[in-house]
Amino acid sequence: MKTRIILLTLVFCLSAVVASFASDANVGSWKLNDAKSKIPDGVGKNTSVVYTVEGDNLKCVVDGMDGKGQATHNEWTGKLDGKDYEITGDPISNSRAIKMLGKDSYKLTNKKDGKTTITGTIVTSADGKMRTLKTTSTDDKGKKVTATFVYDKQ
C-alpha cells in the first residue's frame, strides 16, 4: 500500500512538472524573423532556437552565426530558476541563467567564467506565435550594444 501511494505521488509530481513546461509558450521551435529584428552590424544572431522538455529541465538548442558570419551552435539545459547552468558550444559564454518573470516573460543572463557577457529579456506574445529577445552586451571596444531579435514559432 505504501509503495502504491509513493508511486502515485511521484507520478502526480512528475505530471505537474511536465504540464507546467508544456504550458510554457517558449517550448517549441523558433525561427529568426530578420525583417522584424533590429540587429546591429557585427552582432551574432541565433537563426534557430528550439526549446524542449527534458525531465524537469528545459533544453535549448541554438543555431546561428557569429558577428563575422561563421556558423554557431550551442546548447543549454536547465531550469527557469535564475541559477547558472552550463552552455556548451558558445565561445563568449559558458553559463546561462533564465528566470521566469511572468507567464510569458523571462530574464536571461549569460556569463563567461562568472562575468556577465549578455543580459536580456524574452517575451512571448499572448497568442504564442512570436517571441522577442532584447539583449544588452559589450563589444570588444567596451561599447554597450543592444539588439532586438524577433522569432516566429514554427
Side-chain angles (χ1 to χ4, degrees):
M1 183 69 173
K2 281 185 180 182
T3 304
R4 188 175 188 181
I5 291 172
I6 291 171
L7 184 59
L8 286 172
T9 302
L10 182 62
V11 167
F12 176 75
C13 290
L14 185 57
S15 297
V17 168
V18 170
S20 70
F21 281 131
S23 66
D24 185 341
N26 212 30
V27 172
S29 297
W30 299 91
K31 182 178 178 186
L32 181 68
N33 184 326
D34 275 311
K36 291 182 180 178
S37 299
K38 294 178 184 174
I39 308 167
D41 290 338
V43 172
K45 57 185 173 182
N46 301 328
T47 55
S48 169
V49 180
V50 179
Y51 281 93
T52 55
V53 177
E54 282 198 355
D56 63 346
N57 291 308
L58 281 182
K59 180 174 185 175
C60 180
V61 177
V62 179
D63 289 297
M65 59 185 73
D66 65 16
K68 297 177 183 174
Q70 299 298 311
T72 61
H73 175 88
N74 69 72
E75 298 185 18
W76 172 88
T77 301
K79 295 178 177 41
L80 303 177
D81 59 7
K83 295 179 182 176
D84 293 336
Y85 294 91
E86 181 182 11
I87 298 175
T88 57
D90 187 342
I92 63 169
S93 303
N94 54 22
S95 72
R96 175 176 297 142
I98 300 178
K99 182 176 183 177
M100 190 170 234
L101 299 175
K103 182 180 180 298
D104 296 319
S105 64
Y106 313 84
K107 178 182 176 186
L108 167 95
T109 305
N110 284 6
K111 296 178 183 174
K112 176 81 171 189
D113 302 327
K115 183 179 178 187
T116 300
T117 56
I118 298 172
T119 59
T121 56
I122 303 166
V123 177
T124 306
S125 63
D127 65 4
K129 294 180 180 180
M130 189 171 67
R131 177 180 178 269
T132 303
L133 167 63
K134 293 183 180 183
T135 63
T136 302
S137 59
T138 305
D139 68 13
D140 55 358
K141 295 180 176 109
K143 183 180 174 191
K144 183 177 168 180
V145 178
T146 59
T148 302
F149 305 87
V150 178
Y151 296 88
D152 296 319
K153 189 121 188 201
Q154 299 302 293

